[in-house]
Amino acid sequence: MRFLFLLFAILPIVEIALLVQVGGIIGGWNTIGLVILTAFIGAYFVKREGIATLQTAQAKMQRNELPGKEMVEGLMLVVAGILLVTPGLITDVLGFMFALPGSRHLIASQLSKHMKLRVVTQAGGAQYNPFENPFNQQQSGQPGSSDNGDVFEGEFSDKTQNDADKRLK
């Protein structure tokens, strides 16, 4: 609650004071131009990095891996886009920190580490980590599973004969 108060009450006041100070030094129109320029440059970086992050996440999903890091970075890019479009110099600095790859990777790894510490809980006496790859976890001991954890029940139907593009072969 304290963080939200700082975000919505104090930050705009500090932003306005800083814009007035910068405007007094470089001029009002130059300050407005600087804010607009950082918004355009920031939007370009967010778009470029967002596409790259999405492609990395899709590649990981095709390899049956969870794109946990990419999900955190994608969320950071959304926040970066909002910060960069919001007029102000402090929000622009924070937005560029979230949008540029070097600082974003560092912040994302620290944020992921913090989230893992808070989310990993005890479940049935064993550690449960929602950030681990569920495809590699053993399923034995759960209702409806076999003892060795590598037997799956289900039905299969061959659809390769009906596919004109032969994508399934």
Side-chain angles (χ1 to χ4, degrees), residues 5-23:
F5 174 74
L6 289 174
L7 184 68
F8 291 116
I10 307 267
L11 184 63
I13 295 169
V14 173
E15 285 280 12
I16 291 170
L18 184 62
L19 286 172
V20 168
Q21 289 291 325
V22 171

Side-chain angles (χ1 to χ4, degrees), residues 66 119-121 128-134 137:
L66 283 180
V119 176
V120 175
T121 60
Y128 169 70
N129 186 349
F131 295 101
E132 288 181 357
N133 190 346
Q137 294 177 353

Side-chain angles (χ1 to χ4, degrees), residues 1-168:
M1 193 66 165
R2 194 177 309 157
F3 176 74
L4 290 176
F5 174 74
L6 289 174
L7 184 68
F8 291 116
I10 307 267
L11 184 63
I13 295 169
V14 173
E15 285 280 12
I16 291 170
L18 184 62
L19 286 172
V20 168
Q21 289 291 325
V22 171
I25 296 170
I26 66 171
W29 289 110
N30 290 336
T31 304
I32 292 171
L34 180 66
V35 169
I36 292 172
L37 182 67
T38 58
F40 280 116
I41 292 171
Y44 168 75
F45 275 125
V46 168
K47 179 181 175 184
R48 186 186 73 179
E49 293 300 316
I51 290 171
T53 303
L54 179 64
Q55 289 172 344
T56 305
Q58 287 175 339
K60 276 191 169 185
M61 286 189 290
Q62 288 178 350
R63 294 188 307 259
N64 286 337
E65 297 176 12
L66 283 180
K69 178 183 170 197
E70 288 75 17
M71 290 171 50
V72 171
E73 288 187 9
L75 181 61
M76 289 178 65
L77 286 169
V78 169
V79 172
I82 293 169
L83 289 172
L84 288 165
V85 172
T86 303
L89 299 175
I90 297 171
T91 55
D92 287 344
V93 168
L94 292 173
F96 277 116
M97 283 178 55
F98 285 2
L100 295 175
S103 59
R104 186 180 69 244
H105 295 315
L106 180 66
I107 295 170
S109 66
Q110 294 298 319
L111 187 61
S112 295
K113 195 180 303 181
H114 179 70
M115 287 172 43
K116 285 179 186 178
L117 290 175
R118 296 191 74 164
V119 176
V120 175
T121 60
Q122 292 286 339
Q127 284 282 335
Y128 169 70
N129 186 349
F131 295 101
E132 288 181 357
N133 190 346
F135 301 111
N136 294 334
Q137 294 177 353
Q138 292 294 325
Q139 301 294 326
S140 62
Q142 293 183 358
S145 67
S146 65
D147 288 338
N148 60 6
D150 59 359
V151 176
F152 297 96
E153 293 185 27
E155 295 182 17
F156 172 80
S157 58
D158 187 9
K159 301 282 186 179
T160 57
Q161 301 302 324
N162 298 332
D163 189 14
D165 295 331
K166 306 290 188 232
R167 292 175 292 193
L168 300 175

